[in-house]
Amino acid sequence: MMGEPGKHRILMVSDFFYPNFGGVENHIYYLSQCLIKEGHKVVVMTHAYQNRSGVRYMTNGLKVYYVPWKPFLMQNTLPTFFGTLSITRTILIREKISMVHGHQAFSTLCHEALMHARTMGYKVVFTDHSLYGFSDVGSIHMNKVLQFTLADVTQAICVSHTSKENTVLRSGLPPEKVYVIPNAVDTAMFTPAPERLSRDEIVIVVISRLVYRKGTDLLVEVIPEVCRLHPNVRFIVGGDGPKRVRLEEMREKHSLQDRVDMLGAVPHAKVRSVLITGHIFLNSSLTEAFCIAILEAASCGLLTVSTRVGGVPEVLPDDMVVLAAPDPTTMVHAITRAIYMLPQIDPQDMHNRMKKLYSWPDVARRTEIVYNRALKCSNPPLLDRLSRYLTCGTWAGKLFCIVMIVNFLLWRLLQLWQPDKDVEVVPDIQLWKSQHEETPFGTKTEKSL
């Protein structure tokens, strides 16, 4: 299977993967599963999580390397520049990788793996899942790092058109090298409630990390006003984070203990069971490149109220979402409008429409096209590649060139110390399955993968 013409051997790299949960983690997992079903080999490289280190296998033989690097800050490993060169090289050779696909702009492991892969002549693809500003210190630093990584990237993918514009402006990457492939949702997992809910009590669901970027401070002002205007409204808030204490204080201050349920962190496997208890899904993000949570809520038949930020307006049709500026007053008006729209909402019809709009197999097929185009690109010599880094800034460009030259020399030294032919190549595992297999993506007839 893995040796068939036109089939790729892909290494997905990111600091963000299971057992951690989030949009990037889900994207990598579902994309990998669909690529495996198309006959490609997919291997994931991420850092160790607590006692999870070494090689693990997931559904359909998805192989995961949990390299022995511990997270340093916000699930990111400590930047080392060259510390991951040896293990990245070993994995690339052992698995006979043909394509390296990095995910997320603030993943240190992603940036380092892409740098090492380009040094060794591999084609690399980068997917950006987030939006960044241009004025604060953190964004300026991250944009310069992104400019360094994407200076020599083969192709890039963004999850929305807004995200593409943001990435092109931040990195200086030519727009023709950036493709837009949206996220998707597993509609087989996120289905509406068996019976339509009564509207005697309106339940508004919030499932989000309780951090500043997700608009938790906005929720603190919106929830009391909505409860005052609509006595039959109740909130369910799922998620955890440093801003949770503000929501707890708001609930105490306004005596809303019986109308605001705080669930804490909700495992992804239980998200659907929370969503189907509500009528409206509320997203208060202050910045968002896409928003998989909105797709999951819509697939469960919930009407969405969201802030009009980033790529959110691109996600759903107008009759499935009510958008508002990230302002308490307009958000309250949007929720009121959504409440009056509820009689027109058919959860099952919404679910059926989501099936047609978004699917992971479609995302995988579109990603394959990017892989095919990346493999057709030429590999320029080192001197030509260094000239690209010089355009990154007067001092930064020279610094980036020094980093790449040192990386190149270290790679050559590793080749002398342990030639490629001395690295043991691992055999491909064939998973035999029943002819009619039920998968998260539907029923598939096959004899083996």
Side-chain angles (χ1 to χ4, degrees):
M1 175 193 72
M2 304 304 178
E4 294 179 15
K7 299 302 179 183
H8 305 296
R9 306 175 70 91
I10 307 141
L11 178 66
M12 301 279 185
V13 187
S14 182
D15 279 303
F16 307 97
F17 195 65
Y18 296 141
N20 196 49
F21 286 100
V24 178
E25 292 84 348
N26 285 347
H27 182 104
I28 296 172
Y29 176 78
Y30 282 111
L31 175 60
S32 299
Q33 291 295 331
C34 288
L35 289 171
I36 289 173
K37 286 174 169 55
E38 292 294 323
H40 306 285
K41 174 166 183 175
V42 183
V43 178
V44 177
M45 176 180 169
T46 188
H47 63 70
Y49 281 89
Q50 297 175 358
N51 64 342
R52 185 175 298 207
S53 184
V55 178
R56 302 290 180 96
Y57 286 88
M58 303 182 75
T59 307
N60 293 328
L62 176 61
K63 190 174 186 178
V64 185
Y65 282 88
Y66 290 95
V67 298
W69 261 257
K70 293 294 184 181
F72 168 66
L73 180 67
M74 296 175 63
Q75 293 302 329
N76 276 292
T77 50
L78 181 69
T80 61
F81 285 104
F82 316 112
T84 53
L85 173 60
S86 177
I87 195 166
T88 301
R89 171 179 177 262
T90 301
I91 293 173
L92 291 172
I93 297 172
R94 280 174 59 84
E95 302 292 343
K96 296 185 287 185
I97 297 297
S98 61
M99 176 78 58
V100 180
H101 190 168
H103 293 263
Q104 190 58 307
F106 48 85
S107 169
T108 305
L109 192 63
C110 164
H111 289 291
E112 293 187 3
L114 294 185
M115 178 180 74
H116 302 324
R118 288 303 294 136
T119 297
M120 291 181 270
Y122 289 88
K123 301 296 193 302
V124 301
V125 174
F126 172 77
T127 295
D128 199 356
H129 295 263
S130 300
L131 297 176
Y132 287 89
F134 299 89
S135 56
D136 59 285
V137 175
S139 295
I140 292 171
H141 168 72
M142 183 53 62
N143 293 344
K144 186 58 70 174
V145 172
L146 187 68
Q147 191 178 18
F148 167 57
T149 299
L150 298 193
D152 197 28
V153 77
T154 315
Q155 304 286 352
I157 298 172
C158 291
V159 294
S160 67
H161 292 280
T162 301
S163 176
K164 175 179 177 177
E165 293 177 7
N166 184 262
T167 299
V168 168
L169 287 172
R170 288 158 52 212
S171 65
L173 199 63
E176 60 270 16
K177 292 181 70 172
V178 185
Y179 299 85
V180 177
I181 303 177
N183 285 309
V185 61
D186 182 4
T187 52
M189 179 178 177
F190 291 93
T191 56
E195 298 181 1
R196 296 191 67 164
L197 301 176
S198 168
R199 289 194 295 274
D200 294 337
E201 180 183 58
I202 305 299
V203 179
I204 300 176
V205 178
V206 178
I207 298 181
S208 169
R209 293 194 305 276
L210 302 181
V211 295
Y212 171 78
R213 189 175 72 85
K214 292 294 183 178
T216 308
D217 296 309
L218 190 57
L219 286 177
V220 170
E221 298 185 55
V222 168
I223 290 176
E225 184 62 16
V226 172
C227 289
R228 185 185 68 82
L229 293 174
H230 305 281
N232 64 329
V233 167
R234 182 168 63 89
F235 283 84
I236 296 177
V237 180
D240 208 349
K243 291 287 185 177
R244 177 174 177 171
V245 64
R246 286 216 62 199
L247 285 172
E248 298 278 9
E249 290 172 351
M250 174 273 296
R251 191 169 66 159
E252 294 288 335
K253 178 180 177 181
H254 297 277
S255 301
L256 295 174
Q257 291 87 343
D258 59 334
R259 299 183 63 185
V260 180
D261 295 335
M262 303 289 294
L263 303 182
V266 179
H268 191 255
K270 296 183 179 180
V271 168
R272 184 237 172 208
S273 62
V274 176
L275 288 173
I276 61 174
T277 63
H279 302 81
I280 296 171
F281 179 76
L282 178 59
N283 172 55
S284 58
S285 295
L286 301 180
T287 175
E288 200 78 70
F290 195 77
C291 188
I292 293 182
I294 290 178
L295 297 186
E296 294 171 347
S299 183
C300 289
L302 277 71
L303 178 62
T304 297
V305 176
S306 176
T307 46
R308 190 190 296 272
V309 295
V312 171
E314 304 175 31
V315 177
L316 292 175
D318 292 342
D319 61 330
M320 296 171 69
V321 61
V322 180
L323 298 173
D327 168 78
T329 304
T330 53
M331 285 295 288
V332 171
H333 289 160
I335 293 171
T336 300
R337 181 183 164 201
I339 291 172
Y340 291 124
M341 287 174 61
L342 284 177
Q344 308 163 25
I345 300 299
D346 182 349
Q348 191 58 51
D349 177 64
M350 191 178 289
H351 175 76
N352 293 336
R353 291 172 65 188
M354 290 301 296
K355 278 185 178 180
K356 298 176 182 178
L357 286 171
Y358 293 102
S359 73
W360 284 112
D362 179 60
V363 171
R365 284 190 290 270
R366 295 167 69 175
T367 305
E368 280 184 71
I369 295 172
V370 178
Y371 290 161
N372 294 334
R373 291 179 180 176
L375 288 174
K376 292 177 183 177
C377 296
S378 60
N379 259 337
L382 178 62
L383 288 178
D384 288 350
R385 291 174 51 232
L386 291 178
S387 65
R388 300 177 182 177
Y389 292 104
L390 286 174
T391 63
C392 294
T394 305
W395 294 104
K398 295 180 177 63
L399 178 62
F400 295 160
C401 284
I402 293 172
V403 169
M404 293 307 297
I405 291 170
V406 173
N407 200 54
F408 182 83
L409 294 174
L410 289 174
W411 170 54
R412 288 300 191 188
L413 188 62
L414 279 174
Q415 285 187 310
L416 292 174
W417 180 56
Q418 185 185 33
D420 292 1
K421 62 182 178 63
D422 292 344
V423 179
E424 182 184 7
V425 176
V426 298
D428 294 324
I429 296 178
Q430 302 288 334
L431 294 182
W432 294 88
K433 300 195 171 194
S434 61
Q435 289 186 336
H436 299 283
E437 179 197 8
E438 186 69 25
T439 73
F441 313 102
T443 302
K444 182 174 180 179
T445 302
E446 61 184 356
K447 292 183 179 178
S448 68
L449 281 178

